[in-house]
Amino acid sequence: MKAFILALQFLTRFYIPIQVDFSDKNLRHSLFFFPWVGLLMGYLLTIPFRIISKQEIAALLVLILWIAFTGGMHLDGLSDMADGFFSNKEKDKILEIMKDSRVGAFGVISLILILLSKYVLLSQASLTFYSLPGVLAGARFANSLIIGTFPPARPDGMGRMLQKTKPLPYILVSGILLLVYLFFMDRKLLLVLLVQVLVVGITSFISLKKIDGVTGDNYGANVELAEAFGLLVLGLV
């Protein structure tokens, strides 16, 4: 229970008045629940589509709630990564830019593109009851794989904090259970998950080349990109 609560506190802005220690054990176990927190958020986000008949209006409300649920945490990571990676600087300068709280031109462009893409895809795609939960769960599982396998770029950042707990076995077990769930709920979501894993893998290899690892900003960007590409796959199939 502590691990699930920690995952909720880590990934969402839901009010949970329970204190959980950020110990290695709790962090390691919490990574098991990352996809399932995404699944929970996804089911909550399907509600507007059930009560609002006009899909474009529902899509706008869903997008606002989506940002509210996470506090824009992943969007912040995407904008920081865009500013750093498109600066064409050396590793140390890229890391400095990514750590800067100010948002540059590339960061603003990335935010506009990702939000516009999500809105268009939400307002046009034929979504089943399981589609959006599957997209959010898949994005967080794909990102968890990166957390468990790619080296952190900073000696004291979020990547180091999470990876030193050695969470990969818990991530893999969670992934197997997620595959079973998606298989029985909506098999199209297996293709979505495959694309999401490929997307975060590509962006993480680019990060490995540029800054010798991944950071918390990369994790946030991975989630945003995986969600957008997941919606794109649903729109295409």
Side-chain angles (χ1 to χ4, degrees), residues 111-231:
L111 293 176
I112 292 172
L113 289 176
I114 201 75
L115 292 174
L116 182 60
S117 298
K118 282 185 173 182
Y119 172 73
V120 170
L121 292 167
L122 284 170
S123 62
Q124 299 297 323
S126 298
L127 301 175
T128 69
F129 182 68
Y130 306 104
S131 297
L132 205 50
V135 167
L136 270 71
R140 281 149 186 80
F141 168 68
N143 190 49
S144 296
L145 281 178
I146 301 304
I147 293 173
T149 55
F150 276 69
R154 302 183 194 273
D156 57 352
M158 185 185 296
R160 177 72 63 186
M161 178 183 72
L162 293 172
Q163 196 179 75
K164 71 183 179 69
T165 67
K166 303 186 183 304
L168 187 58
Y170 295 88
I171 294 168
L172 293 177
V173 171
S174 183
I176 292 170
L177 294 175
L178 180 63
L179 285 172
V180 173
Y181 175 85
L182 296 179
F183 178 83
F184 285 105
M185 295 301 107
D186 187 344
R187 294 181 187 179
K188 293 195 298 293
L189 293 171
L190 295 173
L191 176 60
V192 169
L193 180 60
L194 175 62
V195 171
Q196 289 176 317
V197 171
L198 289 174
V199 167
V200 302
I202 291 170
T203 60
S204 298
F205 273 111
I206 293 172
S207 180
L208 188 62
K209 182 178 179 181
K210 283 184 173 289
I211 56 175
D212 300 328
V214 291
T215 70
D217 288 328
N218 294 122
Y219 298 154
N222 282 343
V223 171
E224 287 294 335
L225 292 171
E227 288 173 344
F229 274 90
L231 290 173

Side-chain angles (χ1 to χ4, degrees), residues 15-35:
Y15 176 67
I16 305 172
I18 300 174
Q19 289 287 90
V20 179
D21 293 334
F22 271 66
S23 65
D24 285 358
K25 179 182 177 181
N26 287 337
L27 278 173
R28 178 169 60 249
H29 293 173
S30 73
L31 281 154
F32 172 89
F33 292 103
F34 275 26

Side-chain angles (χ1 to χ4, degrees), residues 82-110:
D83 281 334
F85 282 14
F86 288 106
S87 66
N88 293 319
K89 305 291 185 180
E90 298 299 320
K91 172 189 172 180
D92 290 342
K93 186 62 177 176
I94 291 175
L95 288 172
E96 181 182 335
I97 292 171
M98 291 171 68
K99 198 171 184 178
D100 193 332
S101 60
R102 294 170 294 183
V103 180
F106 289 113
V108 172
I109 292 169
S110 70

Side-chain angles (χ1 to χ4, degrees), residues 49 55-65 119 122-123:
F49 286 117
Q55 188 166 345
E56 291 82 0
I57 304 291
L60 179 60
L61 180 57
V62 166
L63 190 57
I64 293 170
L65 290 173
Y119 172 73
L122 284 170
S123 62

